[in-house]
Amino acid sequence: MKKVLIALFFAIASLPINAKNALVIIAHGSPSEKWIQPVLNLEPLLKKKIAEEGLKNISYIRVAMMEFTEPTIATVIKDCEKQNCDTVFAIPLFIIPSEHSEDDIPNIIGHKFNPATIKGLKAEGTKFVNSKVHIVLGPTLGCYGNVLEKITAENVKALSKNPKDEAILILAHGDKMYDGFWNTKLNSICKSCISSTGISQARYQLVGMGNKVAEQIIPVLKDLAKTKKRIIIQGVYLSYTAKDMASGGLDPKIQKALGNDVKVVYSDRCILPSATNDIVDWIVNQTKEWSQQ
């Protein structure tokens, strides 16, 4: 009995008295400073908001990039170890569940083992996490709540002049493996835009990148142009806008297809930095829910 009590004493004594938790925001990453900076700017704002909310169990907050640039996920988790963090709550800052959030990141942090995925990531020079720190993956932006609906509707409303004469086209990159999630969320976003702006027609289109975008969206624009003469194109992207897309040679193709009677307006707003405060609030709310479990 005495030996059991001694063993129990040492087991209890070895437990952390004040567990240290980290909040890590994982974004895709990009070679573009314009893309990277709005994401990195979340870090000080989250620190301030976490302190204001009194979440004392979150002692370390960092932003990590999945690829292209430092700080990588592996770099940040290594730093969490140095800070003696016991658990990391990692939020993948992606629009909807995708191959990145459901396969790439879990393989990078050791939650999954998919040889094909790991081979591809290694070929891209990805650094993998090798750590005993407990990592909990949180949800993507579109999983819970209506933050995307709110942000998109506000972005469209900022461009609207005469709702009766206008239509909306929502663009997103999508992921064929997760079309169900995308269709559900984009339908909800369209309904929110109609309800918030008074514009009666809203459509969405999943598009890729490059020259094929024009042929993907022109049929939808032509259909909307049958009854509306001003069409607002709004992207659902983290740090990329419809105006960025148009500047890459898209606009001349669209104007040629629609003619001069239809005015196409490309939004210069995206999720970051346009709705930084909304994203900070959403992240903090997810963290609060997790920390209270």
Side-chain angles (χ1 to χ4, degrees), residues 276-289:
T276 296
N277 290 336
D278 290 312
I279 296 303
V280 168
D281 288 344
W282 181 86
I283 291 171
V284 171
N285 287 336
Q286 301 307 313
T287 306
K288 191 183 296 184
E289 287 187 30

Side-chain angles (χ1 to χ4, degrees), residues 161-206:
K161 292 183 177 180
N162 186 357
K164 291 182 180 180
D165 294 333
E166 295 170 336
I168 306 164
L169 176 58
I170 304 295
L171 300 182
H173 286 324
D175 185 325
K176 288 182 179 179
M177 292 178 63
Y178 296 89
D179 273 356
F181 285 100
W182 279 104
N183 290 329
T184 298
K185 179 53 66 172
L186 291 171
N187 266 312
S188 179
I189 286 173
C190 284
K191 289 177 181 177
S192 177
C193 287
I194 288 171
S195 173
S196 300
T197 64
I199 298 172
S200 61
Q201 291 190 48
R203 300 268 294 276
Y204 70 84
Q205 180 69 40
L206 294 172

Side-chain angles (χ1 to χ4, degrees), residues 12-22 56-60 80 83-87:
I12 293 171
S14 66
L15 293 173
I17 298 173
N18 294 310
K20 292 181 71 175
N21 297 323
K56 296 180 181 179
N57 58 337
I58 304 295
S59 57
Y60 182 78
C80 288
Q83 301 295 325
N84 296 315
C85 295
D86 302 290
T87 302

